[in-house]
Amino acid sequence: MIYLLYGKNDYLINNEIKKIKDKNNITNDDISNYDLNEINIKIILDDAVSLPLFSEKKLIIVDNCNLFDTTSKKEDISVLEEYLLNPNSSTILILINHNEKLDERKKIFKILKENK
């Protein structure tokens, strides 16, 4: 499962994450938090394709996911596009973008929208 949460209201984003976590019975041991400003998307997706250790599912939260903005790097987008076309069923991936609007013309946005 892949979620894209965006907007300026951190309270609503965090509330939605909590709902997803509770709905899927995810424990804190099965949550990985990443900041895309600090780590490469390839490392995050390596974690996403690996199996969870403590339960059936794991949750990966990617903050500052600016890949849906007009200024994103093309090589990072292509890696995520490949994952979106064939996601790991035991991983719940939450992408967080802190902008009010996203570039809906981008191929990556269209792929995500088609595979929801």
Side-chain angles (χ1 to χ4, degrees):
M1 240 179 244
I2 301 167
Y3 295 90
L4 173 61
L5 305 178
Y6 64 96
K8 301 243 183 225
N9 192 329
D10 288 339
Y11 174 77
L12 291 177
I13 290 173
N14 290 331
N15 195 28
E16 193 62 31
I17 291 170
K18 184 178 180 335
K19 286 180 190 176
I20 294 167
K21 179 182 158 188
D22 293 344
K23 176 183 172 187
N24 292 284
N25 297 321
I26 304 290
T27 64
N28 288 337
D29 293 332
D30 291 315
I31 298 175
S32 299
N33 289 291
Y34 295 102
D35 186 337
L36 203 55
N37 290 336
E38 298 174 3
I39 194 162
N40 191 303
I41 189 70
K42 293 175 186 174
I43 295 170
I44 298 168
L45 294 178
D46 283 344
D47 185 10
V49 296
S50 67
L51 296 173
L53 295 175
F54 303 108
S55 67
E56 292 180 20
K57 294 193 179 231
K58 67 179 175 180
L59 177 64
I60 296 178
I61 302 169
V62 183
D63 198 16
N64 296 313
C65 189
N66 54 9
L67 300 176
F68 299 91
D69 299 344
T70 55
T71 59
S72 57
K73 297 178 187 172
K74 192 167 188 124
E75 65 272 8
D76 290 343
I77 292 174
S78 63
V79 172
L80 183 58
E81 285 173 354
E82 289 176 29
Y83 179 80
L84 293 177
L85 292 171
N86 190 21
N88 183 354
S89 62
S90 64
T91 299
I92 300 169
L93 182 64
I94 299 177
L95 307 170
I96 301 171
N97 186 299
H98 295 285
N99 292 324
E100 287 295 325
K101 294 202 174 207
L102 304 176
D103 188 354
E104 296 183 22
R105 301 169 294 166
K106 292 189 131 208
K107 180 181 175 186
I108 191 166
F109 187 85
K110 292 176 183 175
I111 290 171
L112 186 63
K113 194 173 182 180
E114 288 173 7
N115 295 321
K116 62 177 181 174

